[in-house]
Amino acid sequence: MSNLVLAWPNRVGAETMVSGGSWSIAAQNVATADITQVARSTNATEAATQMRLALDAARNIRVVSMVNHNLSATAQWRVTIGTTAGASDLHDSGWLAVWSMNFDSWIEWEAATWWVGAGLDEYLRAPFPVVHMLDDAVTAQHFSIYIRDVTNADGWVQIGRAFAGDAIQPTYNMSYGLSDEIDDLSDITRAESGAVWTTDRRRLRRVSLVLDWLTDDEGAYLHEMMRVLGRTGEVLYWPYPDEPGRSQQYGFLGQLMEMSALEYPYHRVRRLPLRIQEVA
């Protein structure tokens, strides 16, 4: 089904226990909301670049994702979900390619920082998320992430944030008129002499969309999403599930920019405009 997916809430948080692998910068950092507070492996071997995550309780998991990573063009990853730590009895994705995007003349592969404007900050890397979506949610407390990137030029693997949560995929897709935007946080200052000083900062993706044909249940679900997340909670926006490359380019881990009204335009039909911006 090609309709967009909105995944929330992120069940990976302060109470999540992270273990396994070998990390020179703590693996526990993937459980913090600050995506620049990264986990970094001691080397790029498969034994080092794996982690087991135990949530605070058994939760619905349909989407697993990683953001702010340094995974190379040939990297693979695998997600398992089980009833015990390290088990795969509930789900095993098998080995998957990290990258669905095609790197050509307009999407350039860069060995250094991908964040335009990140300067010398080595903690900010690829702006494109890695996402695995299950056909149906499973209820579990334990899941694991395995990474195969032994030829990574950095000699190690880095992850800034892990995501695991349930999701909604509405019966009817977003309406035409969607806007994909870029919010440039850079500053430009001009002196009286006319000289210009620039401070280069990150460019954040933003999307504005309208869900015009929600069922009552879907409207209630999204109304609760707004109540729970507010403007600070995380929502994973994955716009084109049947086109992984396109989703990887336009999708992101974000936050709601405003609390839109859930409208009731027709009998048993709900309508909701949404504006979502990538987490900073």
Side-chain angles (χ1 to χ4, degrees):
M1 187 177 182
S2 60
N3 295 356
L4 89 160
V5 169
L6 297 171
W8 74 281
N10 190 357
R11 295 300 188 180
V12 179
E15 296 180 351
T16 301
M17 300 300 297
V18 187
S19 60
S22 176
W23 302 87
S24 60
I25 301 180
Q28 192 66 36
N29 285 348
V30 301
T32 67
D34 183 354
I35 67 168
T36 68
Q37 189 175 9
V38 302
R40 182 175 293 173
S41 63
T42 54
N43 56 63
T45 65
E46 288 186 42
T49 58
Q50 59 180 271
M51 57 177 61
R52 296 177 178 177
L53 296 95
L55 305 178
D56 61 336
R59 304 289 187 179
N60 281 356
I61 299 174
R62 190 181 175 195
V63 175
V64 177
S65 178
M66 301 183 294
V67 299
N68 187 23
H69 57 85
N70 72 326
L71 301 180
S72 72
T74 58
Q76 295 179 304
W77 76 314
R78 176 186 171 206
V79 176
T80 64
I81 304 174
T83 51
T84 58
S88 59
D89 52 309
L90 297 178
H91 180 76
D92 189 340
S93 69
W95 287 103
L96 305 169
V98 163
W99 295 106
S100 300
M101 297 164 58
N102 293 319
F103 298 100
D104 52 29
S105 59
W106 60 277
I107 300 180
E108 298 181 2
W109 180 267
E110 298 177 19
T113 176
W114 280 36
W115 292 113
V116 177
L120 299 178
D121 188 349
E122 64 182 358
Y123 290 92
L124 294 174
R125 300 303 289 269
F128 304 108
V130 186
V131 173
H132 175 58
M133 187 170 68
L134 285 67
D135 292 334
D136 297 293
V138 297
T139 302
Q141 185 172 8
H142 302 278
F143 72 100
S144 301
I145 293 174
Y146 302 88
I147 295 170
R148 180 180 287 168
D149 197 13
V150 295
T151 59
N152 191 302
D154 290 326
W156 37 261
V157 159
Q158 151 179 316
I159 307 169
R161 185 74 169 115
F163 180 98
D166 205 349
I168 183 173
Q169 192 169 23
T171 305
Y172 295 97
N173 209 2
M174 51 203 170
S175 299
Y176 286 108
L178 174 146
S179 296
D180 290 306
E181 308 165 41
I182 301 293
D183 185 13
D184 189 350
L185 304 182
S186 303
D187 283 335
I188 301 175
T189 305
R190 187 178 296 275
E192 291 183 6
S193 65
V196 174
W197 289 277
T198 61
T199 303
D200 215 9
R201 296 195 176 98
R202 290 175 56 195
R203 283 70 150 156
L204 303 178
R205 283 166 294 177
R206 183 166 60 198
V207 66
S208 298
L209 61 91
V210 179
L211 296 167
D212 274 309
W213 301 98
L214 297 168
T215 66
D216 281 338
D217 287 345
E218 290 166 350
Y221 186 93
L222 291 170
H223 188 265
E224 182 66 2
M225 178 187 77
M226 292 190 294
R227 187 193 71 80
V228 172
L229 298 184
R231 291 189 293 134
T232 60
E234 296 171 334
V235 56
L236 184 70
Y237 166 66
W238 201 240
Y240 312 107
D242 60 343
E243 299 180 67
R246 199 168 164 221
S247 282
Q248 195 164 41
Q249 180 184 356
Y250 290 102
F252 53 82
L253 182 64
Q255 295 165 316
L256 301 175
M257 295 183 66
E258 57 189 35
M259 300 293 99
S260 304
L262 177 63
E263 302 170 14
Y264 205 157
Y266 311 108
H267 177 63
R268 300 188 68 82
V269 172
R270 307 309 297 261
R271 178 182 187 272
L272 182 66
L274 287 173
R275 298 183 71 212
I276 308 170
Q277 179 159 299
E278 189 173 9
V279 295

